[in-house]
Amino acid sequence: MPVSTDPAAADFPTSRVRTRAEAEAYVASVCFKHGPPELAGVELEWTVHHADDPGRPLDAAALIAALGPHAPRSLVPDSPHRRLPNGSVLTVEPGGQVEVSSLPTPSMRSLFSVVEADAAYVARRLRTAGLVLGDQGTDPLRFPRRILQVPRYAAMETAFDRIGLDGRLMMCSTAGVQVCLDAGEAHRVAARWNALHALGPVMLATFANSPMLFGECTGWVSTRTRALLRTDPPRTRPGPVTEDPPRSWARRVLDTSLVCLRRDNGDWTAPTGISFAEWIHGALPNPPTRDDLDYHLSTVFPPVRPRGYLEVRYLDAQPGTDWMLPAGALIALFRDESTVDEVLELTVPARGRWVQAARHGLLDRALARCARDVFELACRRLEQPDSPAELPGRLADHVARRLAAVGDR
């Protein structure tokens, strides 16, 4: 495998971060952009397998050949990294998972059409190289094996290995559906942030799709979520429900330990247990820059992450085009602020039930009751011209099957 430097390290600006207050103000301003909720996007991840033997370690050379000019530079340093035919961007995760990321758009119908076409294009290219996309949120067969040889992931692997195996699993063996939504007007940010967190266990339980690891059932319906929550809890746990999400997020980021420390020599291993706030206060020889803070932000990844917009990360990968079901539900539920308020009311019994959702799914009675009500609302909100015509019926059928499977009538 070729060795490359991380493209994000190309520039090292000189502007220093001098105080914690300055850093918190900066984080709050860049992570929560205000405005009317108009745009949405999706990011789809899949594990990749050899078609003739899904349990065989991924052949990186075959992946590179399949992706061709679309391969990211983290995999092929001199790649042109061209966009996919309909404008989506293709990236590769540490274990060789492929990800298709859309451009933001105001139209759900257009968004889904573009991403479906680009995902099908990627699948065809992989098939020509003897590879197929996985259909679960975890690799059900193989042990985690990193194929991206870049300093960022080597440093993260070192840091997470101190805690356990889950960090490697998260990096190399998991795949999800991510939905990106506008944060909303300033006076609505807290309601939207809190609704996404309250809704999280319900969505997770309804679309859990990762029961297998190393060829065996784990006893968790979302093993992907189990791995994420255990990777590095201060970095990966759900955020607090507060009246001031920007402030609480900024404090959390500053108190989270460094997992990468960029250096020119290619060794980015960070000293153990030093937070960004401690770096500001002199824990390391050289003071941090604003670019260091931007980079640190990219290493904190809870189930809902603010990035100027709100990135929803709590969904397992889905088979085929079933990613449209949770993505469509989320977009529909967060288009209108009155619907957001309904979501907050309907999900009161589900709040904080992340572990129950990941372990038991809709066998948890509180989550089952909330799912029935929340998805009835979502189906109603999907009945509009901009939604794919068949989507409300598909969503209703999926939820009904899941509830029937656990005995909820």
Side-chain angles (χ1 to χ4, degrees):
M1 285 294 298
V3 176
S4 71
T5 57
D6 191 318
D11 299 310
F12 287 80
T14 58
S15 56
R16 284 182 52 187
V17 179
R18 299 178 183 276
T19 67
R20 177 173 182 136
E22 173 189 324
E24 288 188 3
Y26 176 75
V27 169
S29 68
V30 299
C31 291
F32 290 87
K33 301 292 187 183
H34 303 149
E38 296 175 343
L39 302 176
V42 295
E43 301 172 16
L44 307 180
E45 296 173 340
W46 300 269
T47 57
V48 177
H49 305 262
H50 291 283
D52 61 350
D53 182 3
R56 178 156 56 99
L58 181 62
D59 185 340
L63 181 61
I64 291 170
L67 299 182
H70 308 293
R73 296 188 183 101
S74 58
L75 184 63
V76 182
D78 59 352
S79 170
H81 194 201
R82 295 176 187 161
R83 288 183 179 271
L84 298 173
N86 293 278
S88 305
V89 175
L90 186 140
T91 53
V92 173
E93 296 299 311
Q97 309 97 305
V98 295
E99 179 178 78
V100 172
S101 300
S102 76
L103 296 172
T105 177
S107 167
M108 185 192 303
R109 187 184 292 271
S110 174
L111 172 65
F112 285 10
S113 175
V114 162
V115 175
E116 181 181 18
D118 278 342
Y121 171 80
V122 171
R124 289 194 299 272
R125 289 195 67 107
L126 290 172
R127 280 197 298 272
T128 65
L131 302 174
V132 293
L133 297 172
D135 60 4
Q136 297 185 35
T138 53
D139 183 329
L141 299 172
R142 300 172 300 196
F143 281 80
R145 173 175 169 266
R146 181 167 57 89
I147 70 168
L148 289 188
Q149 305 302 319
V150 296
R152 172 187 173 98
Y153 295 126
M156 291 174 69
E157 189 173 79
T158 297
F160 296 152
D161 280 353
R162 298 180 187 127
I163 301 170
L165 180 63
D166 290 284
R168 287 195 185 217
L169 289 171
M170 180 276 298
M171 291 171 61
C172 301
S173 301
T174 63
V177 174
Q178 298 177 20
V179 182
C180 303
L181 304 168
D182 284 327
E185 302 283 9
H187 70 285
R188 292 295 301 175
V189 165
R192 294 172 70 83
W193 172 266
N194 294 340
L196 280 174
H197 282 81
L199 184 59
V202 181
M203 297 290 293
L204 169 58
T206 306
F207 293 97
N209 184 40
S210 52
M212 302 284 295
L213 202 62
F214 311 146
E216 298 180 353
C217 288
T218 64
W220 293 64
V221 295
S222 180
T223 306
R224 171 183 172 271
T225 301
R226 185 188 73 172
L228 180 70
L229 295 179
R230 292 178 177 180
T231 290
D232 182 358
R235 190 180 313 279
T236 59
R237 71 175 186 268
V241 175
T242 72
E243 292 304 312
D244 191 352
R247 185 178 184 186
S248 63
W249 174 252
R251 288 178 172 177
R252 174 181 180 171
V253 166
L254 270 290
D255 288 332
T256 299
S257 63
L258 303 175
V259 75
C260 299
L261 186 61
R262 297 179 298 166
R263 302 180 182 92
D264 292 333
N265 66 5
D267 179 5
W268 291 11
T269 305
T272 304
I274 295 179
S275 70
F276 200 93
E278 290 168 327
W279 189 6
I280 294 172
H281 295 146
L284 297 174
N286 297 317
T289 66
R290 186 169 294 178
D291 191 52
D292 290 321
L293 182 50
D294 286 336
Y295 202 82
H296 179 63
L297 283 169
S298 75
T299 69
V300 185
F301 33 83
V304 182
R305 177 166 67 171
R307 303 184 64 188
Y309 51 89
L310 301 181
E311 181 184 73
V312 181
R313 303 170 55 87
Y314 46 61
L315 294 163
D316 285 353
Q318 302 295 303
T321 60
D322 281 0
W323 58 267
M324 295 182 183
L325 306 181
L330 279 166
I331 294 169
L333 291 171
F334 284 82
R335 276 177 163 170
D336 181 83
E337 297 301 343
S338 64
T339 308
V340 173
D341 291 337
E342 287 187 70
V343 169
L344 279 168
E345 293 177 8
L346 294 174
T347 52
V348 169
R351 293 179 188 179
R353 300 184 74 82
W354 295 94
V355 173
Q356 294 91 333
R359 185 156 199 168
H360 304 298
L362 294 179
L363 284 172
D364 183 285
R365 310 313 294 173
L367 295 174
R369 289 192 296 271
C370 287
R372 182 181 58 246
D373 296 338
V374 162
F375 290 108
E376 284 180 1
L377 174 62
C379 288
R380 293 198 302 272
R381 295 297 180 263
L382 280 167
E383 291 175 349
Q384 51 183 293
D386 188 48
S387 302
E390 76 286 356
L391 199 57
R394 286 180 60 192
L395 177 60
D397 289 345
H398 175 91
V399 175
R401 288 194 303 271
R402 286 292 182 101
L403 289 173
V406 297
D408 186 281
R409 298 294 189 270

XYZ file of all heavy atoms in Angstrom, residues 117-192:
576
model
N -28.567 7.124 -7.917
C -27.848 6.886 -9.167
C -26.343 6.758 -8.925
O -25.682 5.883 -9.492
C -28.132 8.019 -10.152
N -25.786 7.618 -8.075
C -24.351 7.546 -7.818
C -23.982 6.289 -7.032
O -22.920 5.686 -7.264
C -23.884 8.805 -7.083
C -23.649 9.976 -8.028
O -23.509 9.741 -9.244
O -23.607 11.124 -7.551
N -24.843 5.873 -6.116
C -24.589 4.629 -5.377
C -24.614 3.428 -6.321
O -23.781 2.509 -6.206
C -25.618 4.461 -4.263
N -25.558 3.417 -7.261
C -25.633 2.323 -8.226
C -24.396 2.305 -9.122
O -23.877 1.235 -9.477
C -26.900 2.458 -9.071
N -23.899 3.482 -9.474
C -22.686 3.581 -10.285
C -21.489 2.982 -9.543
O -20.697 2.220 -10.118
C -22.438 5.052 -10.627
C -21.111 5.339 -11.281
C -20.908 5.115 -12.636
C -20.057 5.861 -10.532
C -19.685 5.396 -13.234
C -18.833 6.145 -11.115
C -18.647 5.907 -12.460
O -17.436 6.188 -13.052
N -21.357 3.322 -8.260
C -20.258 2.764 -7.458
C -20.380 1.245 -7.368
O -19.392 0.511 -7.510
C -20.237 3.402 -6.060
C -19.244 2.686 -5.146
C -19.895 4.884 -6.151
N -21.601 0.751 -7.134
C -21.806 -0.702 -7.034
C -21.409 -1.405 -8.329
O -20.808 -2.487 -8.300
C -23.264 -0.995 -6.684
N -21.723 -0.786 -9.470
C -21.352 -1.402 -10.761
C -19.838 -1.441 -10.928
O -19.281 -2.448 -11.389
C -21.993 -0.634 -11.921
C -23.500 -0.817 -12.037
C -24.004 -0.322 -13.378
N -23.745 1.093 -13.599
C -24.571 2.067 -13.228
N -25.702 1.774 -12.579
N -24.275 3.336 -13.479
N -19.157 -0.360 -10.560
C -17.706 -0.345 -10.676
C -17.077 -1.410 -9.778
O -16.107 -2.072 -10.159
C -17.154 1.041 -10.310
C -17.453 2.132 -11.323
C -16.578 3.355 -11.064
N -15.177 3.048 -11.331
C -14.509 3.501 -12.397
N -15.128 4.248 -13.307
N -13.245 3.191 -12.548
N -17.615 -1.571 -8.588
C -17.081 -2.587 -7.682
C -17.297 -3.988 -8.250
O -16.405 -4.848 -8.158
C -17.734 -2.456 -6.308
C -17.347 -1.214 -5.497
C -18.210 -1.103 -4.249
C -15.869 -1.243 -5.108
N -18.478 -4.222 -8.825
C -18.762 -5.559 -9.361
C -17.774 -5.949 -10.449
O -17.393 -7.116 -10.569
C -20.193 -5.626 -9.895
C -21.239 -5.821 -8.803
C -22.553 -6.295 -9.400
N -23.131 -5.339 -10.333
C -23.946 -4.359 -9.988
N -24.292 -4.204 -8.715
N -24.434 -3.529 -10.895
N -17.350 -4.987 -11.256
C -16.388 -5.310 -12.318
C -15.051 -5.755 -11.741
O -14.267 -6.421 -12.437
C -16.153 -4.097 -13.242
O -15.528 -3.044 -12.503
C -17.458 -3.605 -13.847
N -14.763 -5.390 -10.496
C -13.511 -5.795 -9.849
C -13.721 -6.962 -8.894
O -12.833 -7.281 -8.101
C -12.918 -4.601 -9.093
N -14.892 -7.590 -8.964
C -15.161 -8.735 -8.103
C -15.499 -8.376 -6.679
O -15.339 -9.201 -5.769
N -16.011 -7.157 -6.473
C -16.338 -6.683 -5.129
C -17.822 -6.378 -5.031
O -18.481 -6.055 -6.034
C -15.538 -5.423 -4.796
C -14.014 -5.540 -4.862
C -13.367 -4.178 -4.656
C -13.500 -6.536 -3.815
N -18.360 -6.455 -3.824
C -19.771 -6.129 -3.592
C -19.891 -5.284 -2.333
O -19.031 -5.333 -1.447
C -20.638 -7.406 -3.441
C -20.700 -8.175 -4.742
C -20.121 -8.281 -2.312
N -20.970 -4.533 -2.278
C -21.282 -3.736 -1.095
C -21.939 -4.599 -0.038
O -22.785 -5.443 -0.345
C -22.220 -2.584 -1.466
C -21.682 -1.550 -2.449
C -22.792 -0.582 -2.855
C -20.510 -0.784 -1.849
N -21.570 -4.381 1.220
C -22.256 -5.037 2.320
C -23.636 -4.458 2.518
O -23.963 -3.380 2.005
N -24.488 -5.161 3.280
C -25.852 -4.678 3.493
C -26.193 -4.568 4.978
O -27.361 -4.514 5.338
C -26.863 -5.575 2.776
C -26.820 -7.018 3.261
O -26.062 -7.323 4.201
O -27.568 -7.843 2.692
N -25.166 -4.519 5.846
C -25.398 -4.376 7.275
C -24.553 -3.229 7.830
O -23.645 -2.720 7.168
C -25.061 -5.674 8.009
C -25.930 -6.855 7.605
C -25.645 -8.094 8.434
O -25.346 -8.010 9.627
N -25.742 -9.258 7.802
N -24.859 -2.873 9.071
C -24.138 -1.774 9.718
C -22.804 -2.171 10.299
O -22.035 -1.298 10.729
N -22.510 -3.464 10.359
C -21.181 -3.942 10.706
C -20.753 -4.986 9.684
O -21.590 -5.614 9.034
C -21.136 -4.599 12.105
O -22.141 -5.614 12.180
C -21.328 -3.580 13.208
N -19.449 -5.149 9.548
C -18.920 -6.273 8.793
C -19.220 -7.519 9.622
O -18.698 -7.664 10.731
C -17.417 -6.091 8.619
C -16.780 -7.180 7.764
O -17.287 -8.318 7.790
O -15.770 -6.892 7.113
N -20.065 -8.433 9.140
C -20.497 -9.542 9.989
C -19.483 -10.667 10.116
O -19.690 -11.589 10.916
C -21.754 -10.045 9.271
C -21.528 -9.717 7.841
C -20.750 -8.428 7.835
N -18.395 -10.611 9.353
C -17.499 -11.768 9.272
C -16.047 -11.478 9.654
O -15.429 -12.257 10.373
C -17.532 -12.347 7.848
C -18.892 -12.848 7.350
C -18.818 -13.207 5.874
C -19.362 -14.038 8.171
N -15.490 -10.373 9.168
C -14.050 -10.177 9.250
C -13.640 -9.397 10.505
O -14.404 -8.583 11.027
C -13.554 -9.425 8.008
C -13.843 -10.147 6.712
C -13.516 -9.303 5.493
N -14.278 -8.066 5.432
C -14.402 -7.314 4.346
N -13.809 -7.669 3.221
N -15.107 -6.199 4.380
N -12.420 -9.637 10.933
C -11.840 -8.839 11.999
C -11.409 -7.481 11.423
O -11.099 -7.373 10.231
C -10.652 -9.567 12.623
C -11.055 -10.639 13.586
C -11.467 -11.879 13.125
C -11.069 -10.407 14.955
C -11.863 -12.882 14.004
C -11.463 -11.390 15.846
C -11.867 -12.633 15.376
N -11.386 -6.439 12.243
C -11.043 -5.107 11.719
C -9.603 -5.066 11.217
O -8.684 -5.556 11.871
C -11.244 -4.184 12.928
C -11.145 -5.074 14.122
C -11.694 -6.398 13.681
N -9.443 -4.457 10.049
C -8.113 -4.355 9.432
C -8.054 -3.022 8.679
O -8.822 -2.789 7.758
C -7.890 -5.521 8.480
C -6.615 -5.451 7.647
C -6.471 -6.733 6.833
N -5.414 -6.633 5.832
C -5.618 -6.281 4.568
N -6.851 -5.970 4.144
N -4.608 -6.219 3.717
N -7.146 -2.167 9.087
C -7.051 -0.834 8.486
C -6.239 -0.905 7.196
O -5.131 -1.449 7.173
C -6.396 0.130 9.481
C -6.271 1.561 8.983
C -5.909 2.507 10.119
N -4.675 2.116 10.776
C -3.462 2.519 10.394
N -3.334 3.321 9.336
N -2.392 2.140 11.055
N -6.785 -0.324 6.115
C -6.052 -0.284 4.844
C -5.612 1.137 4.485
O -4.764 1.294 3.601
C -6.860 -0.896 3.684
C -8.048 -0.009 3.294
C -7.317 -2.297 4.013
C -8.684 -0.428 1.982
N -6.157 2.157 5.132
C -5.708 3.525 4.871
C -4.465 3.798 5.715
O -4.535 3.827 6.951
C -6.791 4.544 5.203
C -8.006 4.600 4.283
C -8.881 5.798 4.631
C -7.599 4.655 2.816
N -3.343 4.015 5.053
C -2.077 4.226 5.750
C -1.769 5.724 5.802
O -0.895 6.233 5.098
C -0.969 3.454 5.039
C -1.253 1.976 4.878
C -1.491 1.269 6.200
O -0.800 1.531 7.184
N -2.464 0.363 6.233
N -2.532 6.430 6.618
C -2.322 7.864 6.796
C -2.105 8.150 8.279
O -2.588 7.403 9.139
C -3.510 8.696 6.247
C -3.646 8.518 4.749
C -4.804 8.338 6.949
N -1.387 9.212 8.617
C -1.057 9.487 10.020
C -2.273 9.637 10.924
O -2.233 9.234 12.093
C -0.250 10.785 9.943
C 0.329 10.797 8.565
C -0.700 10.148 7.693
N -3.345 10.234 10.422
C -4.533 10.451 11.254
C -5.036 9.129 11.821
O -5.276 9.004 13.029
C -5.622 11.124 10.423
C -6.987 11.218 11.125
C -8.053 11.746 10.172
N -9.379 11.707 10.748
C -9.988 12.741 11.317
N -9.359 13.899 11.428
N -11.211 12.630 11.793
N -5.247 8.152 10.953
C -5.866 6.910 11.405
C -4.899 6.038 12.199
O -5.315 5.279 13.070
C -6.458 6.170 10.217
C -7.597 6.942 9.583
C -7.591 7.242 8.224
C -8.652 7.407 10.366
C -8.627 7.976 7.651
C -9.688 8.141 9.793
C -9.661 8.423 8.445
O -10.678 9.152 7.887
N -3.608 6.163 11.911
C -2.636 5.445 12.742
C -2.668 5.986 14.170
O -2.634 5.224 15.146
C -1.241 5.589 12.138
N -2.753 7.312 14.314
C -2.805 7.912 15.648
C -4.100 7.557 16.369
O -4.098 7.256 17.575
C -2.657 9.429 15.529
N -5.217 7.586 15.652
C -6.498 7.231 16.264
C -6.491 5.778 16.712
O -6.975 5.442 17.801
C -7.634 7.499 15.274
C -7.876 8.969 15.009
S -9.100 9.275 13.709
C -10.593 8.730 14.518
N -5.946 4.903 15.882
C -5.878 3.493 16.236
C -5.076 3.297 17.522
O -5.485 2.541 18.417
C -5.238 2.722 15.080
C -5.286 1.221 15.214
C -4.771 0.553 13.946
O -3.533 0.489 13.770
O -5.592 0.132 13.118
N -3.940 3.992 17.629
C -3.116 3.887 18.843
C -3.894 4.354 20.063
O -3.877 3.706 21.120
C -1.839 4.717 18.680
O -1.060 4.190 17.601
C -1.004 4.699 19.956
N -4.586 5.484 19.939
C -5.332 6.022 21.076
C -6.479 5.112 21.483
O -6.687 4.839 22.675
C -5.859 7.416 20.729
N -7.225 4.612 20.510
C -8.391 3.787 20.829
C -7.995 2.402 21.327
O -8.713 1.792 22.122
C -9.305 3.678 19.609
C -9.900 4.993 19.172
C -10.244 5.206 17.840
C -10.119 6.021 20.080
C -10.795 6.407 17.429
C -10.671 7.240 19.676
C -11.000 7.428 18.352
N -6.857 1.896 20.879
C -6.409 0.582 21.340
C -6.139 0.575 22.837
O -6.187 -0.483 23.480
C -5.150 0.152 20.590
C -5.444 -0.418 19.205
O -6.633 -0.600 18.880
O -4.483 -0.665 18.452
N -5.848 1.728 23.407
C -5.628 1.796 24.855
C -6.916 1.504 25.620
O -6.882 1.125 26.794
C -5.114 3.189 25.244
C -3.785 3.577 24.623
C -3.368 4.973 25.065
N -2.176 5.435 24.366
C -2.092 6.594 23.715
N -3.140 7.422 23.692
N -0.980 6.939 23.101
N -8.060 1.682 24.963
C -9.360 1.497 25.604
C -9.903 0.102 25.339
O -10.480 -0.535 26.221
C -10.342 2.575 25.106
C -9.792 3.968 25.423
C -11.722 2.388 25.731
C -10.569 5.096 24.769
N -9.729 -0.405 24.130
C -10.252 -1.724 23.781
C -10.356 -1.885 22.280
O -9.859 -1.064 21.502
N -11.039 -2.946 21.852
C -11.149 -3.271 20.429
C -12.171 -2.413 19.702
O -12.130 -2.301 18.474
C -11.518 -4.756 20.276
C -11.681 -5.296 18.854
C -10.357 -5.198 18.076
C -12.184 -6.738 18.882
N -13.076 -1.791 20.438
C -14.204 -1.123 19.787
C -13.781 0.020 18.881
O -14.456 0.305 17.888
C -15.197 -0.633 20.841
C -15.916 -1.784 21.511
O -16.817 -2.357 20.883
O -15.550 -2.136 22.646
N -12.678 0.697 19.204
C -12.219 1.766 18.327
C -11.843 1.251 16.953
O -12.189 1.856 15.933
N -11.137 0.128 16.901
C -10.811 -0.460 15.601
C -12.069 -0.909 14.868
O -12.181 -0.758 13.647
C -9.874 -1.651 15.785
C -8.464 -1.278 16.154
C -7.525 -2.443 15.973
N -6.190 -2.113 16.430
C -5.075 -2.523 15.835
N -5.157 -3.272 14.753
N -3.889 -2.207 16.320
N -13.003 -1.495 15.619
C -14.259 -1.898 14.987
C -14.974 -0.700 14.391
O -15.447 -0.736 13.252
C -15.156 -2.586 16.008
C -14.727 -3.976 16.476
C -15.592 -4.416 17.646
C -14.820 -4.983 15.335
N -15.078 0.379 15.165
C -15.753 1.577 14.679
C -15.095 2.100 13.410
O -15.763 2.459 12.435
C -15.752 2.640 15.773
C -16.419 3.959 15.413
S -15.351 5.116 14.507
C -14.054 5.406 15.710
N -13.759 2.139 13.398
C -13.049 2.697 12.267
C -13.105 1.804 11.033
O -13.241 2.304 9.904
C -11.581 2.928 12.647
C -11.350 4.030 13.662
S -9.632 4.068 14.244
C -8.745 4.378 12.721
N -12.998 0.488 11.226
C -12.745 -0.418 10.107
C -13.888 -1.357 9.761
O -13.863 -1.966 8.692
C -11.505 -1.262 10.402
S -10.008 -0.296 10.671
N -14.874 -1.506 10.651
C -15.874 -2.563 10.464
C -17.311 -2.072 10.536
O -18.222 -2.899 10.627
C -15.661 -3.663 11.513
O -14.370 -4.218 11.418
N -17.550 -0.772 10.511
C -18.912 -0.270 10.632
C -19.273 0.592 9.425
O -18.412 1.154 8.746
C -19.108 0.558 11.914
O -18.258 1.721 11.871
C -18.780 -0.261 13.145
N -20.578 0.687 9.181
C -21.102 1.499 8.081
C -22.459 2.052 8.497
O -23.229 1.371 9.180
C -21.240 0.670 6.805
N -22.748 3.270 8.076
C -23.990 3.901 8.507
C -24.624 4.753 7.437
O -24.080 4.945 6.342
N -25.800 5.259 7.770
C -26.514 6.264 6.976
C -26.468 7.554 7.776
O -26.887 7.588 8.939
C -27.980 5.856 6.732
C -28.740 6.985 6.041
C -28.055 4.576 5.918
N -25.932 8.605 7.178
C -25.885 9.903 7.840
C -26.786 10.877 7.092
O -26.816 10.892 5.862
C -24.448 10.427 7.885
C -23.522 9.522 8.676
C -22.078 9.993 8.653
O -21.783 11.148 8.367
N -21.164 9.085 8.956
N -27.518 11.666 7.859
C -28.436 12.653 7.296
C -28.025 14.017 7.819
O -27.807 14.182 9.028
C -29.895 12.344 7.675
C -30.838 13.361 7.036
C -30.270 10.931 7.242
N -27.906 14.982 6.937
C -27.451 16.323 7.296
C -28.608 17.308 7.151
O -29.223 17.404 6.081
C -26.284 16.740 6.413
S -24.886 15.601 6.496
N -28.894 18.029 8.235
C -30.028 18.947 8.298
C -29.559 20.316 8.763
O -28.618 20.421 9.553
C -31.086 18.420 9.273
C -31.619 17.006 9.018
C -32.430 16.530 10.212
C -32.474 16.998 7.750
N -30.227 21.356 8.309
C -29.911 22.703 8.777
C -30.176 22.820 10.271
O -31.134 22.236 10.807
C -30.750 23.740 8.031
C -30.246 23.996 6.615
O -29.016 23.920 6.406
O -31.069 24.274 5.731
N -29.346 23.618 10.937
C -29.519 23.828 12.376
C -30.721 24.709 12.686
O -31.271 24.633 13.786
C -28.250 24.448 12.967
N -31.154 25.551 11.732
C -32.336 26.379 11.918
C -32.014 27.774 12.433
O -30.855 28.133 12.669
N -33.063 28.563 12.572
C -32.913 29.916 13.110
C -32.412 29.861 14.552
O -32.606 28.868 15.254
C -34.249 30.657 13.053
C -34.858 30.773 11.666
C -34.197 31.840 10.809
O -33.144 32.383 11.225
O -34.726 32.144 9.728
N -31.768 30.937 14.982
C -31.106 30.936 16.291
C -32.055 30.532 17.422
O -31.688 29.750 18.304
C -30.512 32.319 16.566
N -33.291 31.019 17.379
C -34.208 30.731 18.476
C -34.771 29.313 18.418
O -35.436 28.873 19.367
C -35.358 31.746 18.480
C -36.313 31.597 17.326
N -36.001 31.989 16.045
C -37.574 31.082 17.265
C -37.004 31.740 15.242
N -37.985 31.194 15.949
N -34.476 28.573 17.331
C -34.981 27.209 17.188
C -33.880 26.151 17.275
O -34.165 24.953 17.219
C -35.697 27.072 15.845
C -36.988 27.849 15.732
C -38.028 27.327 16.700
N -38.322 25.909 16.465
C -39.117 25.181 17.237
N -39.655 25.703 18.339
N -39.357 23.909 16.945
N -32.641 26.573 17.407
C -31.531 25.613 17.418
C -31.687 24.613 18.554
O -31.523 23.397 18.364
C -30.183 26.357 17.511
C -29.065 25.387 17.882
C -29.861 27.035 16.183
N -32.004 25.080 19.750
C -32.107 24.169 20.900
C -33.215 23.141 20.680
O -33.036 21.951 20.980
C -32.357 24.963 22.179
N -34.358 23.574 20.155
C -35.466 22.641 19.937
C -35.078 21.584 18.902
O -35.361 20.394 19.086
C -36.709 23.400 19.480
N -34.417 21.981 17.836
C -34.046 21.034 16.793
C -32.965 20.073 17.291
O -33.024 18.866 17.040
C -33.585 21.792 15.534
C -34.717 22.593 14.885
C -34.213 23.488 13.759
N -33.780 22.721 12.597
C -34.594 22.256 11.651
N -35.906 22.432 11.747
N -34.116 21.604 10.617
